């Protein structure tokens, strides 16, 4: 959504008066951004994207200060053609790890046991880099993060560390039966049963597991009123099965501020901690940043986003891109939050990748930043 719309300004004024801004800590606590552009951002593109472009996107993103990048998916190319080369992207991060100032957690979406096998095949058979790539010092612990937070916590096993970086796996569920059957061809309970051994084996081999709950704030087949209690029940089951983090996803972008607030309250009442979840907003109806601010007010400190506002879901007709990373960073920094992300560099990447794939840049902050950088370059 535009950073200048009346709705956003009203939400900003309202929330800036709340305790998370005026407390002694303010928003000086760290907010972790999970960059999903290389996977969720590209998966719905119709034109073919070369593996070189995908590898280059991950490489550039690694230099922005991000801690976590969702780099690909081991899905069958028949269903998600753009993810067909994820094995080569993973191989690249192992043999030629992107330069970064700190360890990065790379996440890989696995739709089923075959995807897990393909992931393990690469992880176990591709030799690590031999160029002496240094292992950076561990990332600092943030007061708002628990020891169980993926990418920064003690649950990360030594077996998933390669060249100083970490690797995690992701799975996906749906909060409605209609979307589950359309997306995975099985019921919610059948999905849980199928993913249980995958999660157990991933954790046995030392790979933390992230679980998405899709259509948590609206379903393209059942409408905008997804039952928050069903979302909470599913989150609890996934955590009990061993998920290290739950990404609560507004896949359709139907979510509103009241619905987001109610969902977060329901999750809390069910015993799901803020440190257990990240919020994942799409901007179909221009509500992503407003819902982000509602989530901040609730105490959430982890958010998914995609550079350039890339994204969409092949099983959610009409859904547009994720909240743009540039817009999210700009908003968070304006509130005093620390993300570690370089907005200028992220904006350059947003301009590059959207041009590369022939897509309009979906970030207001990114385009404004690029305009400023061009002016500054002309004045120099």
């Amino acid at each position: 959504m535009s950073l200048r719309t009346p709705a956003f300004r009203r939400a900003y004024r309202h929330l800036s008066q709340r305790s998370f801004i005026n407390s002694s800590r303010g928003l000086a606590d760290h907010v972790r951004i999970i960059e999903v552009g290389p996977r969720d951002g590209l998966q719905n593109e119709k034109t073919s994207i070369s593996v070189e472009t995908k590898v280059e996107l991950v490489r550039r993103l690694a230099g922005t200060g991000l801690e976590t990048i969702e780099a690909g998916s081991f899905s069958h190319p028949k269903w998600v053609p753009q993810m067909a080369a994820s094995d080569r992207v993973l191989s690249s991060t192992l043999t030629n790890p992107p330069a970064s100032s700190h360890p990065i957690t790379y996440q890989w979406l696995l739709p089923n046991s075959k995807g897990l096998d393909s992931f393990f095949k690469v992880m176990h058979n591709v030799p690590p880099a031999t160029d002496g790539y240094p292992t950076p010092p561990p990332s600092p612990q943030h007061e708002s993060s628990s020891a169980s937070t993926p990418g920064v916590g003690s649950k990360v096993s030594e077996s998933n560390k390669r060249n100083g970086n970490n690797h995690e796996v992701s799975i996906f569920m749906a909060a409605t039966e209609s979307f589950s059957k359309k997306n995975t061809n099985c019921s919610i309970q059948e999905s849980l049963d199928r993913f249980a051994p995958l999660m157990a084996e991933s954790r046995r081999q030392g790979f933390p597991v992230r679980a998405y709950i899709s259509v948590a704030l609206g379903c393209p087949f059942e409408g905008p009123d997804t039952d928050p209690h069903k979302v909470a029940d599913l989150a609890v089951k996934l955590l009990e099965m061993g998920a290290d983090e739950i990404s609560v996803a507004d896949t359709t972008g139907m979510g509103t501020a009241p619905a987001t607030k109610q969902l977060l309250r329901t999750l809390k009442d069910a015993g799901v901690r803020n440190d257990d979840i990240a919020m994942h907003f799409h901007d179909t109806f221009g509500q992503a940043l407003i819902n982000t601010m509602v989530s901040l007010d609730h105490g959430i400190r982890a958010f998914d986003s995609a550079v350039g506002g890339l994204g969409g879901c092949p099983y959610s007709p009409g859904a547009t891109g994720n909240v743009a990373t540039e817009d999210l960073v700009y908003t968070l920094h304006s509130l005093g939050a620390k993300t570690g992300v370089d907005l200028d560099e992220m904006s350059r990447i947003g301009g590059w990748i959207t041009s590369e794939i022939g897509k309009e840049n979906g970030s207001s902050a990114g385009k404004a930043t690029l305009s400023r950088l061009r002016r500054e370059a002309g004045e120099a």
Side-chain angles (χ1 to χ4, degrees):
M1 71 174 291
S2 171
L3 301 180
R4 298 181 177 86
T5 62
F8 181 82
R9 289 199 298 269
R10 286 195 298 271
Y12 186 98
R13 285 198 300 269
H14 170 69
L15 290 170
S16 66
Q17 296 169 2
R18 300 295 295 271
S19 60
F20 76 88
I21 297 294
N22 293 330
S23 68
S24 58
R25 288 175 59 195
L27 254 188
D29 37 341
H30 181 79
V31 176
R32 184 167 61 97
I33 293 177
I34 300 92
E35 172 59 54
V36 301
R39 198 281 299 178
D40 196 30
L42 296 182
Q43 70 172 2
N44 206 37
E45 292 303 311
K46 305 303 181 186
T47 57
S48 178
I49 302 172
S50 71
V51 64
E52 290 78 15
T53 296
K54 297 172 187 175
V55 169
E56 179 64 12
L57 176 59
V58 172
R59 186 193 71 79
R60 294 191 186 198
L61 289 169
T64 63
L66 287 163
E67 299 173 35
T68 309
I69 300 172
E70 186 183 46
S73 168
F74 284 79
S75 303
H76 195 291
K78 176 181 177 180
W79 305 114
V80 190
Q82 293 295 6
M83 295 294 104
S86 287
D87 58 336
R88 295 171 63 185
V89 179
L90 173 55
S91 296
S92 176
T93 68
L94 299 174
T95 60
N96 187 26
S100 61
S101 60
H102 55 266
I104 292 178
T105 294
Y106 293 102
Q107 296 178 341
W108 308 89
L109 187 70
L110 309 179
N112 49 43
S113 58
K114 289 184 179 180
L116 180 68
D117 292 342
S118 298
F119 171 74
F120 282 157
K121 182 178 180 180
V122 177
M123 287 298 300
H124 296 328
N125 295 329
V126 174
T130 58
D131 58 359
Y133 182 78
T135 300
S139 297
Q141 296 292 313
H142 305 291
E143 184 177 350
S144 62
S145 299
S146 73
S148 64
T149 302
V152 297
S154 60
K155 284 188 180 180
V156 178
S157 169
E158 290 298 324
S159 64
N160 83 337
K161 292 185 178 181
R162 299 287 293 270
N163 307 311
N165 297 313
N166 303 313
H167 293 267
E168 299 178 354
V169 302
S170 300
I171 65 167
F172 56 90
M173 301 286 301
T176 67
E177 292 290 352
S178 298
F179 195 85
S180 181
K181 290 174 182 176
K182 182 71 174 179
N183 197 11
T184 64
N185 199 33
C186 63
S187 69
I188 294 173
Q189 185 57 53
E190 288 170 338
S191 288
L192 287 168
D193 294 341
R194 290 181 183 182
F195 278 122
L198 185 155
M199 294 173 68
E201 181 61 18
S202 297
R203 290 179 61 81
R204 188 186 72 80
Q205 297 207 29
F207 294 92
V209 178
R210 185 179 209 239
Y212 283 93
I213 299 180
S214 301
V215 296
L217 285 161
C219 173
F221 310 111
E222 297 186 18
D225 299 320
T226 299
D227 185 348
H229 295 92
K230 290 185 177 180
V231 178
D233 179 63
L234 188 53
V236 169
K237 289 178 179 177
L238 289 165
L239 290 168
E240 290 175 345
M241 289 167 59
D244 294 87
E245 181 176 69
I246 307 294
S247 177
V248 182
D250 181 18
T251 313
T252 62
M254 294 180 184
T256 62
T260 300
K261 186 175 183 179
Q262 179 59 43
L263 174 58
L264 290 169
R265 283 178 173 174
T266 305
L267 287 163
K268 180 179 179 180
D269 290 344
V272 179
R273 304 174 306 163
N274 287 340
D275 287 339
D276 290 330
I277 61 178
M279 299 304 291
H280 178 117
F281 294 116
H282 285 240
D283 206 32
T284 310
F285 292 92
Q287 300 300 295
L289 286 175
I290 293 176
N291 294 335
T292 295
M293 296 182 75
V294 170
S295 303
L296 287 168
D297 192 43
H298 186 82
I300 304 300
R301 295 295 182 266
F303 296 89
D304 298 356
S305 62
V307 62
L310 296 174
C313 177
Y315 299 99
S316 181
T320 58
N322 296 272
V323 61
T325 304
E326 303 94 310
D327 293 352
L328 181 60
V329 170
Y330 181 88
T331 300
L332 291 171
H333 288 182
S334 75
L335 296 171
K338 301 180 187 302
T339 67
V341 176
D342 184 331
L343 177 59
D344 287 1
E345 187 58 30
M346 188 64 72
S347 299
R348 294 187 183 99
I349 297 171
W352 166 74
I353 187 59
T354 52
S355 174
E356 188 78 7
I357 65 176
K359 194 178 183 75
E360 182 181 355
N361 189 337
S363 171
S364 297
K367 289 184 288 188
T369 300
L370 288 174
S371 179
R372 172 180 60 79
L373 292 172
R374 287 191 291 267
R375 290 196 306 271
E376 292 174 354
E379 294 170 358

